[in-house]
Amino acid sequence: MSEKKLAWPGSALLGPVPPVLVSCGEGQSANLITIAWAGTVCTQPPRVSISVRPTRHSYGLIRDSGEFVINLPTVALARAVDWCGVKSGRELDKFSAMGLHAAPASKVGCPLLAESPVNLECRVFQRIELGSHDLFLADVVAVDVDEALLDSAGKLHLEKAGLLAYAHGDYYALGKQLGKFGWSVRRKKPGGRKPGAQRGKDAPGANPRRPQK
């Protein structure tokens, strides 16, 4: 890395981010929109946000219904993610055009994306006008998870989903795992080895202790 940095004007240059596919609307009006600006805002209660331009077709569907689903896309869905971000649902059925399938949600009226391994069903509690985009704040009322991502104990292994990432106009597959939450402060066992570590390479399934509150 160069030691020299240039001071640019303010910009929302945050990355990488998850390029999620958001489903909204119902029945024949169901639509998909690609959203790069989505995030967690609270864990208890579970709440998320998405930012949508008021000019987008999906904006009115979400504003009027107060519901949407965040569908986490895999690498296999990369083309659909890009395509759904360019095309408008005013002109065509994105599900049909991309060979994707809408599935019933458990708590909201809009559909899930069946091809997505994880779906967050959301109900809007606040909309904030910010400028180029409006921010929709929503409660996560249900999460739908592909059983293939669960082990015999019911633990979720999201790393097996092959999720997609987005940074500054480009799509990426997630790289190798560097550590787990709390690994930087785990105590070493006598002999210098960390709990769960193998003598050679990475130790699959190692469980770091819970962080101190």
Side-chain angles (χ1 to χ4, degrees):
M1 268 309 170
S2 168
E3 294 183 359
K4 185 177 181 180
K5 292 189 176 180
L6 301 176
W8 288 358
S11 173
L13 191 59
L14 181 66
V17 295
V20 299
L21 278 168
V22 170
S23 48
C24 52
E26 298 182 34
Q28 297 298 317
S29 298
N31 191 46
L32 287 168
I33 179 175
T34 301
I35 297 290
W37 295 347
T40 302
V41 296
C42 188
T43 54
Q44 293 297 330
R47 289 177 163 177
V48 294
S49 70
I50 60 172
S51 291
V52 188
R53 288 183 182 273
T55 56
R56 299 300 299 268
H57 175 60
S58 294
Y59 176 89
L61 298 176
I62 297 171
R63 180 198 58 200
D64 295 344
S65 69
E67 296 179 337
F68 61 88
V69 178
I70 294 177
N71 305 282
L72 303 188
T74 63
V75 171
L77 289 168
R79 184 173 182 274
V81 169
D82 186 64
W83 192 91
C84 288
V86 174
K87 298 294 184 177
S88 174
R90 293 188 183 96
E91 303 168 356
L92 43 78
D93 181 343
K94 293 185 182 181
F95 282 97
S96 177
M98 281 283 96
L100 301 175
H101 300 88
S106 62
K107 297 291 186 180
V108 298
C110 51
L112 312 176
L113 175 60
E115 286 77 8
S116 172
V118 180
N119 320 86
L120 281 65
E121 301 182 31
C122 303
R123 191 166 290 135
V124 177
F125 66 86
Q126 188 175 2
R127 175 173 58 90
I128 304 175
E129 298 179 4
L130 296 174
S132 63
H133 293 65
D134 280 11
L135 182 72
F136 289 92
L137 297 170
D139 291 301
V140 181
V141 295
V143 177
D144 304 85
V145 179
D146 189 333
E147 290 184 350
L149 298 179
L150 305 179
D151 62 20
S152 58
K155 180 181 178 181
L156 174 64
H157 290 272
L158 199 55
E159 72 278 4
K160 295 181 179 180
L163 297 179
L164 194 63
Y166 181 80
H168 196 42
D170 296 311
Y171 300 95
Y172 297 91
L174 295 181
K176 66 178 181 179
Q177 180 187 21
L178 302 179
K180 292 188 176 183
F181 179 76
W183 67 276
S184 63
V185 296
R186 282 160 50 193
R187 295 175 182 172
K188 292 183 178 180
K189 284 186 175 181
R193 289 172 54 212
K194 291 183 178 181
Q198 294 177 338
R199 287 187 174 83
K201 300 200 173 184
D202 300 334
N207 291 318
R209 65 185 179 87
R210 293 181 180 274
Q212 296 180 354
K213 300 293 186 182

